[in-house]
């Protein structure tokens, strides 16, 4: 229930939290479990930063190369610097890159999903369940035989962004990537050149925006998470189920 009549939100779930304390300042369905699409990739990025070396080589596997669009589109066997892949992940939201990074950090996607879920619990996000590193709609049965789907709550998603922006030992590196407007790179053998453009429109629409990540799948609708500072105060916003095509701009309004 929206108890403030002046706020007409298109989003099924929305939250505004205090970046300092994590306290919920405003919520609408903020505890409802929903799919979160590519906003997932903030967790993929922070785990890669915390567990990897930006100058490491990452090779494209055939499994990664087979991921659906939006993708970097590099063939299997091609090698990249890990740091370049983080721009591909966060600016263009490439699904194959997310798998490359997961395999690089944890050996395979299943092990990486376990790391994602462990990190979520560690930072107090109890209602989040990761299956994929890229946020594509997914379901699985856990060891207790319970049906799970790739999901979070607006409150948990905001909590993960709060961690990435201010709490992680790699926060500075995370922010450097996500505030970049454009990044171009080649693979290590210079067989292809790639360029990335940041799709976080709020960065240029509003003062004080530090970081953000958009997402869309058929199951999740449009989603968005962002961190910002205003007059010395820290905030995070998260939106889940904020419209479906053609309402791509709902999240910005």
């Amino acid at each position: 229930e929206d108890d403030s009549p002046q706020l007409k939100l298109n989003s099924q779930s929305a939250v505004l939290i205090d970046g300092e304390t994590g306290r919920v300042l405003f919520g609408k369905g903020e505890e409802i479990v929903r799919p979160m699409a590519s906003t997932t990739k903030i967790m993929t990025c922070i785990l890669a930063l915390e567990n990897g070396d930006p100058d490491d080589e990452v090779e494209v596997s055939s499994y990664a190369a087979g991921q659906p669009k939006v993708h970097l589109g590099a063939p299997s066997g091609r090698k990249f610097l890990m740091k370049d892949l983080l721009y591909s992940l966060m600016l263009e939201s490439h699904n194959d890159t997310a798998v490359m990074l997961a395999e690089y950090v944890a050996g395979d996607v299943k092990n990486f999903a376990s790391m994602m879920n462990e990190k979520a619990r560690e930072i107090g996000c109890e209602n989040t369940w990761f299956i994929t590193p890229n946020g594509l709609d997914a379901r699985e049965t856990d060891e207790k035989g319970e049906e799970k789907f790739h999901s979070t709550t607006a409150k948990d998603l905001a909590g993960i962004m709060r961690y990435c922006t201010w709490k992680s030992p790699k926060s500075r590196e995370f922010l450097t990537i996500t505030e970049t407007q454009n990044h171009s790179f080649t693979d290590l053998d210079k067989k292809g050149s790639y360029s990335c453009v940041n799709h976080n429109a709020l960065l240029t629409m509003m003062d004080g925006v530090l970081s953000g990540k958009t997402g869309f799948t058929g199951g999740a609708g449009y989603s968005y998470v962002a961190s910002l500072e205003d007059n010395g105060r820290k905030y995070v916003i998260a939106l889940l189920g904020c419209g479906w095509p053609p309402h791509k701009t709902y999240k910005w309004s």
Side-chain angles (χ1 to χ4, degrees), residues 1-179:
E1 272 301 300
D2 188 350
D3 47 21
S4 44
Q6 77 279 17
L7 270 182
K8 174 85 181 71
L9 297 184
N10 293 307
S11 202
Q12 291 181 348
S13 289
V15 77
L16 171 71
I17 69 167
D18 185 319
E20 206 68 68
T21 63
R23 188 165 69 92
V24 173
L25 304 173
F26 172 84
K28 172 190 172 180
E30 75 274 20
E31 304 268 15
I32 298 171
V33 174
R34 301 186 187 280
M36 74 288 219
S38 286
T39 57
T40 297
K41 293 178 175 119
I42 63 174
M43 181 64 98
T44 305
C45 182
I46 207 70
L47 285 177
L49 286 168
E50 289 181 357
N51 294 282
D53 181 329
D55 293 316
D56 278 355
E57 282 185 25
V58 179
E59 187 172 332
V60 184
S61 70
S62 56
Y63 179 65
Q67 293 295 302
K69 288 181 179 175
V70 177
H71 60 191
L72 184 64
S76 67
R78 203 158 276 190
K79 298 186 182 75
F80 294 92
L81 284 180
M82 195 270 266
K83 61 185 169 199
D84 286 327
L85 293 177
L86 293 175
Y87 289 93
S88 156
L89 178 79
M90 296 304 288
L91 272 53
E92 288 288 351
S93 202
H94 289 141
N95 291 319
D96 49 355
T97 300
V99 170
M100 292 173 217
L101 290 164
E103 291 173 341
Y104 155 74
V105 170
D108 63 35
V109 162
K110 197 161 179 48
N111 287 337
F112 189 73
S114 298
M115 287 176 72
M116 296 172 90
N117 287 322
E118 203 175 302
K119 176 63 82 173
R121 301 299 168 270
E122 188 190 302
I123 61 178
C125 299
E126 301 289 334
N127 298 309
T128 298
W129 188 262
F130 291 110
I131 300 173
T132 72
N134 45 29
L136 294 170
D137 294 325
R139 291 185 172 274
E140 68 178 6
T141 308
D142 70 7
E143 57 274 14
K144 294 182 193 145
E146 281 179 44
E147 174 86 0
K148 298 274 200 174
F149 68 107
H150 187 92
S151 56
T152 189
T153 64
K155 185 183 173 190
D156 273 11
L157 180 58
I160 296 166
M161 184 54 120
R162 174 180 173 240
Y163 174 78
C164 292
T165 303
W166 295 292
K167 306 288 177 192
S168 166
K170 296 292 182 179
S171 289
R172 186 176 293 262
E173 291 87 339
F174 178 86
L175 291 176
T176 297
I177 294 160
T178 55
E179 70 191 13

